Amino acid sequence: MKPSPSKLSKLVIPAARACLCALVPLALGSHSASAAQTMQEETGIVSAIVTDSSGKPVSGAEVTVAGTELHGITDEAGQLYMAGVPIGKVTMRFRRLGFKEESVEVEVSAGVRTQTRAVMHTLAQDLKPVLVKSNVIKPERYARTSRYDAFFKRMSEGQGGTFLTREIIDRRSAQRPEDLLRMVSGIRIRYRGNTPSIQFVRCDQVAVYIDGFRSHDGFATFLSMSPQDLEAMEVYHGLASVPAEFSPRPNDCAAVVIWTRWLEKP
């Protein structure tokens, strides 16, 4: 017995729909694969190793590709893996506080992993604690404010901390606030992606003060500042060296005291 025309249409239409549904993913998959293949044909991959002149890995170095928005930070081994680099000859720039900026030309091939190496040369040595013995408590330019009196008093008494004055901060030309701590002994700057983490050797509880008040979010507020917003800094290692006014909690074993910039009015 043959099915009626109406029954045949009911059978044929679902079958046609099933065929169309099966074809749509195939078309989308073909488009995605084509786009991925096009991108692979237009870009390459660069694997970089950054060391200092003695061959020691340079971690935390900023790596960029000239003419692009590509950006990365070297890991603890001084290595960086960067995908999506335009093919042809490109210039890679390497920057790190305390080192001379370096540029390396790299020939990038489509879909190929290209290896390169950069050697960075030191500009500055580790910053040692500054112990100042002077009858002058503070520079004359602060005569109209008492905001930094305690800072200069502690520095002149040599309380065992590392003191960064405005002159030191300006001279370092830091791009990020954490760069000001990078040369202080006993501090490590680690990165998770582009997010920095400030760590003290043998100390897990660090008190952070901004303009005399304890920060409730640790280093978060400090890391959101610009180095040009800072007038002075104090860094204390070990519970014995931390002034009493900056160690109200028994578990604090280090302290960073930040003083924001004062704009002198005429």
Side-chain angles (χ1 to χ4, degrees), residues 137-138 148-159:
I137 297 300
K138 63 181 180 181
Y148 310 106
D149 287 5
F151 169 83
F152 285 105
K153 184 176 184 296
R154 285 188 291 270
M155 187 173 74
S156 65
E157 292 175 348
Q159 294 197 8

Side-chain angles (χ1 to χ4, degrees), residues 70-105:
L70 294 174
H71 170 276
I73 302 292
T74 58
D75 60 19
E76 292 183 5
Q79 298 182 356
L80 174 79
Y81 180 86
M82 186 177 290
V85 181
I87 60 174
K89 185 174 291 186
V90 300
T91 300
M92 301 190 71
R93 296 194 175 112
F94 302 83
R95 298 199 316 167
R96 171 75 152 76
L97 187 69
F99 291 85
K100 179 182 176 183
E101 181 176 331
E102 301 291 344
S103 296
V104 176
E105 286 193 349

Side-chain angles (χ1 to χ4, degrees), residues 12-221:
V12 171
I13 291 174
R17 287 177 179 172
C19 292
L20 288 173
C21 291
L23 289 173
V24 169
L26 291 175
L28 292 175
S30 175
H31 177 74
S32 300
S34 176
Q37 183 177 359
T38 300
M39 181 177 180
Q40 186 176 17
E41 291 174 352
E42 296 177 350
T43 63
I45 301 167
V46 174
S47 175
I49 299 177
V50 184
T51 64
D52 61 16
S53 54
S54 67
K56 182 180 178 181
V58 176
S59 62
E62 180 184 17
V63 185
T64 58
V65 178
T68 75
E69 296 183 356
L70 294 174
H71 170 276
I73 302 292
T74 58
D75 60 19
E76 292 183 5
Q79 298 182 356
L80 174 79
Y81 180 86
M82 186 177 290
V85 181
I87 60 174
K89 185 174 291 186
V90 300
T91 300
M92 301 190 71
R93 296 194 175 112
F94 302 83
R95 298 199 316 167
R96 171 75 152 76
L97 187 69
F99 291 85
K100 179 182 176 183
E101 181 176 331
E102 301 291 344
S103 296
V104 176
E105 286 193 349
V106 182
E107 187 70 37
V108 181
S109 301
V112 176
R113 179 175 174 178
T114 303
Q115 292 185 333
T116 188
R117 180 181 295 270
V119 178
M120 306 191 72
H121 300 277
T122 305
L123 285 178
Q125 302 299 320
D126 287 348
L127 185 67
K128 302 300 181 182
V130 178
L131 304 180
V132 179
K133 298 293 183 179
S134 173
N135 294 326
V136 179
I137 297 300
K138 63 181 180 181
E140 188 176 346
R141 69 171 179 272
Y142 297 114
R144 297 184 182 182
T145 179
S146 60
R147 185 173 184 176
Y148 310 106
D149 287 5
F151 169 83
F152 285 105
K153 184 176 184 296
R154 285 188 291 270
M155 187 173 74
S156 65
E157 292 175 348
Q159 294 197 8
T162 298
F163 295 86
L164 305 182
T165 62
R166 179 169 178 170
E167 288 78 9
I168 294 175
I169 292 174
D170 288 344
R171 190 163 59 243
R172 302 185 85 173
S173 300
Q175 300 297 313
R176 303 179 185 85
E178 68 267 22
D179 291 340
L180 296 172
L181 295 174
R182 199 179 297 280
M183 288 302 185
V184 179
S185 61
I187 295 181
R188 296 174 180 171
I189 311 293
R190 302 180 185 276
Y191 286 85
R192 177 172 294 179
N194 291 330
T195 303
S197 173
I198 300 172
Q199 301 175 355
F200 277 61
V201 177
R202 297 185 298 276
C203 179
D204 297 326
Q205 188 68 33
V206 181
V208 180
Y209 286 81
I210 300 176
D211 291 333
F213 296 94
R214 187 180 183 114
S215 172
H216 296 292
D217 56 10
F219 284 104
T221 299

